[in-house]
Amino acid sequence: MIQDPMLNLLSATAQGDKIAFAELYRVSSKRLYAVSLKMLKRKELAEEALQEAYVRIWHNAAQYRAGKGSVLTWMISIARYRALDILRYHAVRKEDVFSDNDEGPQLSSEPMIGTEKGLLEKCLAALEVQQRQTIHLAYFNGMSHHEVTAHLDLPLGTVKSWIRRGLQSLQRCLKL
């Protein structure tokens, strides 16, 4: 069994080791920031979500359970929920989170070159409608599987299957 390389850092963080926490931040912050930025589309909101996520990670490090996924997956879920909280906060206040010049969600924190973006768009267009819709809701709108099921009024297993098969098709099309 391969051990998660971040597990030791998280375990030390749970014991209050600030140096381990700093290293955990160093090795994971770019990915968590990319998730937050993808969902919130504004740098300052993504930074706010990231900060709140790491506060939660620091306070809840001892709550991590290895059987439920990798350390990074656990941390990304915390960042996603912080971003969703920010989106909900602004929605309740009817504030426009997105600026007028937004072109929609970015696929990563790094800009894509034209050929990469074109290939991704081509591969997304080749998916079945249901797969494309569920992937869009989950990855571009930041919805959890449960939120997608409620939004589409479909069983959870159906949504998970469509997303999984769609991602597999994307992977084949993009040759990852």
Side-chain angles (χ1 to χ4, degrees):
M1 183 173 164
I2 299 173
Q3 184 171 349
D4 187 340
M6 288 193 255
L7 184 57
N8 290 337
L9 294 173
L10 187 65
S11 296
T13 297
Q15 301 299 314
D17 185 337
K18 293 177 184 175
I19 294 171
F21 182 65
E23 180 64 12
L24 185 65
Y25 178 88
R26 188 190 70 73
V27 300
S28 63
S29 61
K30 287 181 183 177
R31 290 184 112 170
L32 271 63
Y33 178 73
V35 168
S36 298
L37 186 61
K38 186 184 305 181
M39 292 176 67
L40 297 167
K41 299 171 190 68
R42 283 190 20 208
K43 182 181 175 186
E44 68 275 7
L45 294 177
E47 290 170 351
E48 178 184 338
L50 186 68
Q51 180 180 359
E52 290 177 15
Y54 277 101
V55 168
R56 293 226 179 201
I57 291 165
W58 172 259
H59 289 293
N60 296 312
Q63 305 302 316
Y64 169 75
R65 298 293 172 252
K68 295 194 174 198
S70 71
V71 171
L72 184 61
T73 301
W74 179 75
M75 292 172 62
I76 287 172
S77 71
I78 291 172
R80 282 185 73 249
Y81 283 115
R82 293 306 99 223
L84 287 171
D85 286 345
I86 290 170
L87 286 172
R88 287 184 192 114
Y89 172 84
H90 289 284
V92 165
R93 284 157 186 74
K94 297 190 180 1
E95 296 173 7
D96 187 12
V97 176
F98 311 111
S99 66
D100 292 335
N101 61 359
D102 278 336
E103 297 176 9
Q106 296 296 313
L107 298 173
S108 74
S109 61
E110 299 295 320
M112 296 179 77
I113 60 173
T115 56
E116 290 175 339
K117 188 173 183 178
L119 178 60
L120 180 60
E121 288 171 356
K122 176 184 163 207
C123 292
L124 280 168
L127 293 176
E128 293 179 19
V129 173
Q130 303 93 336
Q131 293 171 349
R132 185 171 49 253
Q133 183 181 27
T134 53
I135 287 172
H136 181 79
L137 290 170
Y139 290 94
F140 293 102
N141 291 7
M143 290 183 172
S144 69
H145 288 148
H146 291 286
E147 290 169 328
V148 173
T149 62
H151 181 78
L152 298 176
D153 195 28
L154 292 168
L156 180 60
T158 301
V159 167
K160 286 183 174 183
S161 294
W162 285 350
I163 290 173
R164 181 177 35 76
R165 286 193 299 254
L167 291 175
Q168 289 169 341
S169 294
L170 281 177
Q171 187 176 26
R172 283 190 303 275
C173 181
L174 295 169
K175 295 174 180 55
L176 298 177

